[in-house]
Short mmCIF file of all heavy atoms in Angstrom, two decimals:
data_model
loop_
_atom_site.label_atom_id
_atom_site.label_comp_id
_atom_site.label_asym_id
_atom_site.label_seq_id
_atom_site.Cartn_x
_atom_site.Cartn_y
_atom_site.Cartn_z
N LEU A 1 0.84 -1.21 0.00
CA LEU A 1 -0.01 0.01 0.00
C LEU A 1 0.87 1.25 0.00
O LEU A 1 1.96 1.27 0.55
CB LEU A 1 -0.90 0.01 1.24
CG LEU A 1 -1.70 -1.27 1.52
CD1 LEU A 1 -2.36 -1.19 2.87
CD2 LEU A 1 -2.71 -1.52 0.43
N ASP A 2 0.32 2.34 -0.57
CA ASP A 2 1.01 3.61 -0.53
C ASP A 2 0.69 4.34 0.78
O ASP A 2 0.03 3.75 1.65
CB ASP A 2 0.68 4.47 -1.76
CG ASP A 2 -0.78 4.93 -1.83
OD1 ASP A 2 -1.53 4.80 -0.83
OD2 ASP A 2 -1.18 5.42 -2.89
N ALA A 3 1.11 5.57 0.92
CA ALA A 3 0.92 6.32 2.17
C ALA A 3 -0.56 6.60 2.47
O ALA A 3 -0.94 6.82 3.61
CB ALA A 3 1.71 7.63 2.12
N GLN A 4 -1.41 6.58 1.42
CA GLN A 4 -2.85 6.77 1.61
C GLN A 4 -3.58 5.43 1.72
O GLN A 4 -4.80 5.38 1.65
CB GLN A 4 -3.46 7.59 0.46
CG GLN A 4 -3.19 9.09 0.55
CD GLN A 4 -1.75 9.42 0.20
OE1 GLN A 4 -1.19 8.89 -0.77
NE2 GLN A 4 -1.12 10.28 0.98
N HIS A 5 -2.81 4.35 1.84
CA HIS A 5 -3.33 2.99 1.98
C HIS A 5 -4.09 2.51 0.76
O HIS A 5 -5.01 1.68 0.85
CB HIS A 5 -4.19 2.83 3.24
CG HIS A 5 -3.41 3.12 4.48
ND1 HIS A 5 -4.01 3.48 5.67
CD2 HIS A 5 -2.08 3.12 4.74
CE1 HIS A 5 -3.08 3.69 6.57
NE2 HIS A 5 -1.91 3.48 6.03
N ARG A 6 -3.70 3.01 -0.41
CA ARG A 6 -4.23 2.48 -1.67
C ARG A 6 -3.31 1.33 -2.10
O ARG A 6 -2.11 1.39 -1.90
CB ARG A 6 -4.26 3.57 -2.75
CG ARG A 6 -5.24 4.69 -2.44
CD ARG A 6 -5.14 5.76 -3.48
NE ARG A 6 -3.78 6.32 -3.46
CZ ARG A 6 -3.48 7.59 -3.71
NH1 ARG A 6 -4.44 8.45 -4.02
NH2 ARG A 6 -2.24 8.01 -3.68
N VAL A 7 -3.91 0.33 -2.71
CA VAL A 7 -3.14 -0.84 -3.12
C VAL A 7 -2.24 -0.48 -4.32
O VAL A 7 -2.72 -0.01 -5.34
CB VAL A 7 -4.05 -2.03 -3.48
CG1 VAL A 7 -3.25 -3.18 -4.05
CG2 VAL A 7 -4.83 -2.48 -2.26
N LEU A 8 -0.95 -0.68 -4.13
CA LEU A 8 0.01 -0.51 -5.22
C LEU A 8 0.15 -1.82 -5.99
O LEU A 8 0.21 -1.84 -7.22
CB LEU A 8 1.40 -0.13 -4.65
CG LEU A 8 1.51 1.18 -3.92
CD1 LEU A 8 2.80 1.26 -3.13
CD2 LEU A 8 1.40 2.33 -4.91
N GLU A 9 0.23 -2.88 -5.23
CA GLU A 9 0.46 -4.21 -5.82
C GLU A 9 -0.09 -5.29 -4.89
O GLU A 9 -0.03 -5.15 -3.68
CB GLU A 9 1.95 -4.42 -6.04
CG GLU A 9 2.32 -5.53 -6.98
CD GLU A 9 1.80 -5.31 -8.39
OE1 GLU A 9 2.01 -4.22 -8.95
OE2 GLU A 9 1.15 -6.24 -8.89
N SER A 10 -0.58 -6.34 -5.48
CA SER A 10 -1.00 -7.53 -4.73
C SER A 10 -0.13 -8.66 -5.24
O SER A 10 -0.10 -8.94 -6.43
CB SER A 10 -2.47 -7.82 -5.02
OG SER A 10 -2.82 -9.07 -4.53
N GLU A 11 0.60 -9.30 -4.32
CA GLU A 11 1.59 -10.28 -4.77
C GLU A 11 1.55 -11.56 -3.93
O GLU A 11 1.61 -11.51 -2.71
CB GLU A 11 2.97 -9.64 -4.66
CG GLU A 11 4.04 -10.34 -5.40
CD GLU A 11 5.33 -9.53 -5.44
OE1 GLU A 11 5.27 -8.31 -5.67
OE2 GLU A 11 6.39 -10.14 -5.23
N GLU A 12 1.46 -12.68 -4.62
CA GLU A 12 1.61 -13.97 -3.97
C GLU A 12 3.10 -14.20 -3.84
O GLU A 12 3.81 -14.35 -4.81
CB GLU A 12 1.00 -15.06 -4.85
CG GLU A 12 1.10 -16.44 -4.29
CD GLU A 12 0.55 -17.48 -5.22
OE1 GLU A 12 -0.61 -17.36 -5.67
OE2 GLU A 12 1.29 -18.45 -5.50
N MET A 13 3.59 -14.18 -2.59
CA MET A 13 5.03 -14.24 -2.38
C MET A 13 5.58 -15.63 -2.12
O MET A 13 6.70 -15.93 -2.51
CB MET A 13 5.44 -13.28 -1.26
CG MET A 13 5.25 -11.84 -1.66
SD MET A 13 6.24 -10.71 -0.72
CE MET A 13 7.90 -11.26 -1.04
N PHE A 14 4.82 -16.47 -1.39
CA PHE A 14 5.33 -17.77 -1.02
C PHE A 14 4.24 -18.82 -1.15
O PHE A 14 3.09 -18.53 -0.86
CB PHE A 14 5.86 -17.76 0.42
CG PHE A 14 6.89 -16.69 0.67
CD1 PHE A 14 6.54 -15.52 1.30
CD2 PHE A 14 8.21 -16.85 0.26
CE1 PHE A 14 7.46 -14.50 1.52
CE2 PHE A 14 9.15 -15.86 0.47
CZ PHE A 14 8.78 -14.68 1.11
N ARG A 15 4.64 -20.02 -1.57
CA ARG A 15 3.74 -21.15 -1.68
C ARG A 15 4.29 -22.29 -0.87
O ARG A 15 5.50 -22.53 -0.87
CB ARG A 15 3.74 -21.59 -3.14
CG ARG A 15 2.38 -21.67 -3.74
CD ARG A 15 2.50 -22.03 -5.18
NE ARG A 15 1.75 -21.07 -5.95
CZ ARG A 15 1.23 -21.32 -7.12
NH1 ARG A 15 1.42 -22.48 -7.69
NH2 ARG A 15 0.53 -20.41 -7.72
N GLY A 16 3.42 -23.02 -0.19
CA GLY A 16 3.88 -24.12 0.64
C GLY A 16 3.16 -25.41 0.40
O GLY A 16 2.80 -25.73 -0.73
N THR A 17 2.92 -26.11 1.48
CA THR A 17 2.23 -27.41 1.43
C THR A 17 0.83 -27.25 1.99
O THR A 17 0.36 -26.15 2.23
CB THR A 17 3.02 -28.44 2.27
OG1 THR A 17 2.98 -28.04 3.64
CG2 THR A 17 4.45 -28.57 1.80
N LEU A 18 0.21 -28.37 2.27
CA LEU A 18 -1.14 -28.37 2.83
C LEU A 18 -1.20 -27.66 4.18
O LEU A 18 -2.18 -27.01 4.51
CB LEU A 18 -1.63 -29.82 2.97
CG LEU A 18 -2.99 -30.03 3.62
CD1 LEU A 18 -4.09 -29.44 2.74
CD2 LEU A 18 -3.24 -31.49 3.87
N THR A 19 -0.13 -27.77 4.96
CA THR A 19 -0.19 -27.26 6.35
C THR A 19 0.77 -26.13 6.68
O THR A 19 0.69 -25.57 7.76
CB THR A 19 0.09 -28.41 7.35
OG1 THR A 19 1.37 -28.98 7.04
CG2 THR A 19 -0.99 -29.46 7.27
N GLN A 20 1.69 -25.81 5.77
CA GLN A 20 2.63 -24.74 6.11
C GLN A 20 3.28 -24.16 4.87
O GLN A 20 3.27 -24.78 3.81
CB GLN A 20 3.72 -25.24 7.04
CG GLN A 20 4.63 -26.27 6.42
CD GLN A 20 5.68 -26.78 7.38
OE1 GLN A 20 5.67 -26.47 8.56
NE2 GLN A 20 6.61 -27.56 6.87
N THR A 21 3.85 -22.97 5.04
CA THR A 21 4.65 -22.36 3.99
C THR A 21 5.80 -21.61 4.66
O THR A 21 5.63 -21.11 5.77
CB THR A 21 3.81 -21.42 3.10
OG1 THR A 21 4.60 -21.00 2.00
CG2 THR A 21 3.30 -20.23 3.85
N SER A 22 6.93 -21.58 4.01
CA SER A 22 8.07 -20.85 4.55
C SER A 22 8.00 -19.41 4.05
O SER A 22 7.87 -19.18 2.85
CB SER A 22 9.38 -21.48 4.09
OG SER A 22 9.49 -22.79 4.62
N VAL A 23 8.09 -18.47 4.98
CA VAL A 23 8.03 -17.04 4.66
C VAL A 23 9.34 -16.42 5.11
O VAL A 23 9.77 -16.63 6.24
CB VAL A 23 6.83 -16.36 5.36
CG1 VAL A 23 6.84 -14.86 5.09
CG2 VAL A 23 5.52 -17.00 4.92
N TYR A 24 9.97 -15.66 4.22
CA TYR A 24 11.26 -15.06 4.51
C TYR A 24 11.14 -13.55 4.67
O TYR A 24 10.90 -12.85 3.68
CB TYR A 24 12.26 -15.41 3.41
CG TYR A 24 12.40 -16.91 3.23
CD1 TYR A 24 11.69 -17.59 2.23
CD2 TYR A 24 13.19 -17.65 4.10
CE1 TYR A 24 11.80 -18.96 2.11
CE2 TYR A 24 13.30 -19.03 3.97
CZ TYR A 24 12.61 -19.66 2.97
OH TYR A 24 12.71 -21.03 2.85
N PRO A 25 11.28 -13.03 5.89
CA PRO A 25 11.13 -11.59 6.13
C PRO A 25 12.01 -10.73 5.22
O PRO A 25 11.58 -9.69 4.73
CB PRO A 25 11.52 -11.42 7.60
CG PRO A 25 11.16 -12.74 8.21
CD PRO A 25 11.48 -13.76 7.15
N ARG A 26 13.22 -11.19 4.95
CA ARG A 26 14.12 -10.43 4.07
C ARG A 26 13.48 -10.17 2.71
O ARG A 26 13.56 -9.07 2.15
CB ARG A 26 15.43 -11.22 3.92
CG ARG A 26 16.40 -10.65 2.92
CD ARG A 26 17.56 -11.62 2.70
NE ARG A 26 18.34 -11.27 1.56
CZ ARG A 26 19.45 -10.55 1.61
NH1 ARG A 26 19.89 -10.13 2.76
NH2 ARG A 26 20.11 -10.26 0.51
N GLU A 27 12.82 -11.20 2.15
CA GLU A 27 12.18 -11.07 0.84
C GLU A 27 10.99 -10.11 0.89
O GLU A 27 10.74 -9.36 -0.04
CB GLU A 27 11.76 -12.43 0.30
CG GLU A 27 12.92 -13.37 0.03
CD GLU A 27 13.94 -12.78 -0.93
OE1 GLU A 27 13.55 -12.22 -1.98
OE2 GLU A 27 15.16 -12.86 -0.63
N VAL A 28 10.25 -10.16 2.01
CA VAL A 28 9.10 -9.26 2.16
C VAL A 28 9.59 -7.81 2.25
O VAL A 28 9.02 -6.91 1.63
CB VAL A 28 8.26 -9.63 3.39
CG1 VAL A 28 7.14 -8.63 3.62
CG2 VAL A 28 7.69 -11.05 3.23
N VAL A 29 10.68 -7.58 2.98
CA VAL A 29 11.25 -6.23 3.08
C VAL A 29 11.73 -5.77 1.71
O VAL A 29 11.44 -4.64 1.29
CB VAL A 29 12.42 -6.21 4.11
CG1 VAL A 29 13.17 -4.89 4.04
CG2 VAL A 29 11.89 -6.43 5.52
N LYS A 30 12.42 -6.63 0.97
CA LYS A 30 12.90 -6.26 -0.37
C LYS A 30 11.76 -5.87 -1.29
O LYS A 30 11.83 -4.85 -1.98
CB LYS A 30 13.68 -7.43 -0.99
CG LYS A 30 15.11 -7.54 -0.50
CD LYS A 30 15.85 -8.78 -0.96
CE LYS A 30 15.75 -9.13 -2.41
NZ LYS A 30 16.52 -10.35 -2.76
N ARG A 31 10.70 -6.68 -1.31
CA ARG A 31 9.56 -6.38 -2.20
C ARG A 31 8.84 -5.11 -1.75
O ARG A 31 8.34 -4.36 -2.59
CB ARG A 31 8.58 -7.55 -2.25
CG ARG A 31 9.12 -8.80 -2.90
CD ARG A 31 9.59 -8.59 -4.33
NE ARG A 31 8.53 -8.12 -5.18
CZ ARG A 31 8.72 -7.49 -6.35
NH1 ARG A 31 9.91 -7.26 -6.79
NH2 ARG A 31 7.70 -7.09 -7.06
N SER A 32 8.81 -4.85 -0.45
CA SER A 32 8.19 -3.62 0.05
C SER A 32 8.95 -2.40 -0.46
O SER A 32 8.34 -1.39 -0.86
CB SER A 32 8.16 -3.63 1.57
OG SER A 32 7.36 -4.67 2.07
#
């Protein structure tokens, strides 16, 4: 979101299994 909380981008970042997915904070920070 931008400073006015409008959506800039919607992104599927990580895919996992039936019960879990690995999420990497570093990658989320980079994409932000």
Side-chain angles (χ1 to χ4, degrees):
L1 310 171
D2 66 12
Q4 282 75 43
H5 300 158
R6 294 176 298 214
V7 174
L8 297 166
E9 197 62 50
S10 169
E11 195 171 317
E12 180 183 307
M13 292 203 59
F14 306 100
R15 234 177 231 206
T17 64
L18 176 66
T19 58
Q20 66 181 7
T21 188
S22 296
V23 177
Y24 303 98
R26 173 188 167 96
E27 296 303 314
V28 175
V29 170
K30 280 173 47 179
R31 293 302 300 159
S32 297

